[in-house]
Amino acid sequence: MTNESDQQSDPKPSPSEQWLAARAPGFQHLPDLDRRAIYDFAFLWSLFEARLQGGFARSNTIRDMVDGWRDANTLDIAAHADDIAYFRQRYFANGELTGHYPYLNLRPGDHPAIVQSVLDGSSEAPRDQMLALLMIVWRLRNNLFHGAKWAYALQDQLDNFTHANAVLMRLLDQHGGLH
């Protein structure tokens, strides 16, 4: 019989990880840190959606949430400066959108004009920055859960999900009532 601590330290891959490694394109080559960041994102997004989006996130409800924080003067964009800087560098460089930007797959309801204005620096409004940040996290979520990330076998996603996870944790700490 194994005890709980033995189960937690077992380095053996789970049956689902074994299955994915055998069948999913690129999964077996995905570094452990990348996998961990993606696993963590799935849990963090689920908690974010449950606690801050009533279990049913949409781009318009995310916008309404951000507008509510702005109106209540609880929008703390300074805490997310490193994440905004990272996404700006990833999606906008040398005066133009990078080749990564189209893969966000922003839809008209995802406020693409606001996202672009934050990325290119033409909007520094805290509300726009928070909305752009959450629209990027929203698109990472949609692209992961709806399969678009498999087009390139989940490669080069560690930084994306590390920053997305940091955003979600900070927002849950501030607005999720988890203390």
Side-chain angles (χ1 to χ4, degrees):
M1 185 164 146
T2 61
N3 65 34
E4 188 176 323
S5 65
D6 290 339
Q7 290 174 343
Q8 289 177 352
S9 63
D10 186 2
K12 181 180 173 191
S14 70
S16 58
E17 287 178 303
Q18 293 173 26
W19 186 93
L20 286 163
R23 291 172 180 81
F27 187 85
Q28 66 187 5
H29 303 295
L30 200 58
D32 287 340
L33 286 176
D34 293 50
R35 287 184 201 177
R36 185 83 232 172
I38 293 168
Y39 294 154
D40 292 349
F41 179 79
F43 283 107
L44 288 166
W45 178 267
S46 178
L47 185 58
F48 171 84
E49 190 165 354
R51 298 297 291 211
L52 298 175
Q53 288 287 291
F56 193 69
R58 291 283 176 258
S59 60
N60 63 326
T61 62
I62 293 169
R63 181 202 61 229
D64 292 347
M65 179 182 66
V66 170
D67 287 346
W69 294 338
R70 177 201 57 208
D71 296 346
N73 202 28
T74 60
L75 189 92
D76 180 14
I77 199 61
H80 304 281
D82 289 343
D83 306 304
I84 291 169
Y86 165 77
F87 288 120
R88 279 182 170 157
Q89 174 271 323
R90 180 168 177 84
Y91 296 117
F92 193 84
N94 301 317
E96 61 186 22
L97 296 170
T98 68
H100 295 291
Y101 182 78
Y103 295 103
L104 282 174
N105 297 317
L106 288 165
R107 307 246 163 89
D110 298 334
H111 312 286
I114 291 172
V115 172
Q116 187 171 337
S117 72
V118 168
L119 293 175
D120 70 19
S122 62
S123 177
E124 295 291 334
R127 181 265 190 183
D128 290 353
Q129 289 182 350
M130 182 62 76
L131 183 57
L133 194 55
L134 283 173
M135 286 299 103
I136 291 169
V137 173
W138 166 249
R139 292 313 309 164
L140 291 174
R141 175 254 185 230
N142 288 343
N143 293 340
L144 176 67
F145 293 154
H146 296 291
K149 292 277 181 211
W150 286 104
Y152 36 91
L154 300 172
Q155 297 299 306
D156 300 320
Q157 296 300 305
L158 176 61
D159 290 338
N160 282 345
F161 285 107
T162 298
H163 284 276
N165 292 345
V167 169
L168 293 172
M169 288 184 289
R170 271 189 231 102
L171 292 175
L172 283 161
D173 277 345
Q174 186 176 10
H175 302 286
L178 298 171
H179 300 284

